[in-house]
Amino acid sequence: IGRVLGDPFVMRLAAAESNREPDLQGILGDNRANLKDTYMDGPADICIEVVSPGSVAVDYGEKLAEYEKGGVGEYWIIDPIRRSCIFYRLTDQDLYSPHLPSANESYTTPRLPGFVLHVPALWQQPLPDYGAVWQAVQTMLQADD
């Protein structure tokens, strides 16, 4: 249904007059036509930033404002320092509305049918290896078919 690109891969936001390199960006459906060899020409469908001690003000402030103004459909802030996640979705008024994980600590989005992020899994030690994550995603995709 799309592509996931990691840093360093530039996203050019004309409306926000900025270029950013999100930690992860999801490019879905028809929006893939805006994907160039070295950059995303316009807003990604989902941008994910993982907060570090040096990026708190940028992730919660500057990027939030730029991604909203630039039309990024969803902006996920994953904060391992505070062990919290905030998921912003762009409304029909082109403003972000925050969404928190559900009572069972999971997040779903209509942009990724069948995808479920169980937030506490982000804080477990040790983190699951890539193979386990890949298998979990494959299981979700097969369950959605």
Side-chain angles (χ1 to χ4, degrees):
I1 65 171
R3 301 257 327 259
V4 175
L5 302 165
D7 177 27
F9 197 84
V10 173
M11 176 181 59
R12 292 184 180 174
L13 298 173
E17 299 178 0
S18 68
N19 294 332
R20 288 288 184 180
E21 294 180 10
D23 291 328
L24 289 173
Q25 53 183 306
I27 316 302
L28 306 173
D30 293 340
N31 201 16
R32 288 179 287 181
N34 297 318
L35 192 56
K36 310 301 180 196
D37 289 339
T38 59
Y39 66 97
M40 175 62 187
D41 190 17
D45 296 286
I46 300 171
C47 283
I48 301 170
E49 296 290 356
V50 179
V51 178
S52 65
S55 72
V56 173
V58 173
D59 291 338
Y60 282 99
E62 292 173 26
K63 288 183 180 180
L64 177 69
E66 288 177 22
Y67 292 173
E68 180 182 67
K69 183 177 180 181
V72 173
E74 290 194 24
Y75 175 37
W76 303 2
I77 300 175
I78 298 176
D79 190 337
I81 301 164
R82 293 167 184 79
R83 290 188 173 214
S84 69
C85 293
I86 302 175
F87 305 92
Y88 291 96
R89 291 184 194 163
L90 207 57
T91 66
D92 292 339
Q93 293 79 34
D94 295 325
L95 298 172
Y96 276 140
S97 173
H99 293 261
L100 298 174
S102 65
N104 70 355
E105 301 185 85
S106 294
Y107 178 71
T108 60
T109 171
R111 293 181 183 276
L112 298 171
F115 175 81
V116 178
L117 174 61
H118 186 65
V119 173
L122 297 172
W123 323 133
Q124 73 184 38
Q125 292 296 325
L127 289 170
D129 64 43
Y130 292 118
V133 172
W134 178 253
Q135 183 59 46
V137 170
Q138 291 302 312
T139 301
M140 279 188 260
L141 291 173
Q142 290 170 356
D144 196 45
D145 287 341

